Amino acid sequence: MVKKILIVDDQKGIRLLLNEVFSREGYEIFQAANGMEALKIMANNNIDCVLLDMKIPGMNGIEILREIRKNNSVVPVFMMTAFNDNEIMDDANELGVIKYFTKPFNIFDIRNEVNEVLKK
């Protein structure tokens, strides 16, 4: 069974890059540019992993994560951020984020971490 990854980032270039990398790894990819799209995808699909940007217009990453956790307390979530905000990271930790990747990130690090979690 093919694992499904949701990429949530308002930057199209980041979504396309991650889509390319994880498609090559054999995953089915879903993309969302904002929180409402992400929550709709989560409601309609059995997502196995989420790559979530911290700063998104409208709903930020923490708000999206809170909504995801209301319906799915176990899906692995990786957070991507260009900012080092300890308060936000503390909130994300409480909501069960597995790991943070700081932008600009090493795409191979993300690929390896996601593979490790999803191929267990």
Side-chain angles (χ1 to χ4, degrees), residues 20-88:
E20 177 74 19
V21 168
F22 288 110
S23 292
R24 286 184 184 172
E25 293 292 309
Y27 298 109
E28 183 177 349
I29 307 302
F30 295 83
Q31 297 181 45
N34 59 56
M36 295 310 291
E37 286 179 21
L39 297 176
K40 186 175 180 182
I41 290 168
M42 289 294 296
N44 295 316
N45 299 278
N46 188 16
I47 300 297
D48 297 294
C49 181
V50 179
L51 297 171
L52 178 60
D53 186 24
M54 185 86 67
K55 298 283 186 184
I56 298 178
M59 294 176 83
N60 69 30
I62 294 297
E63 292 166 327
I64 296 167
L65 183 54
R66 278 196 185 104
E67 290 300 314
I68 288 172
R69 288 294 184 231
K70 285 181 183 177
N71 298 310
N72 189 328
S73 62
V74 297
V75 67
V77 176
F78 292 89
M79 202 139 243
M80 304 176 292
T81 181
F83 306 96
N84 194 1
D85 184 328
N86 289 335
E87 184 177 326
I88 291 173

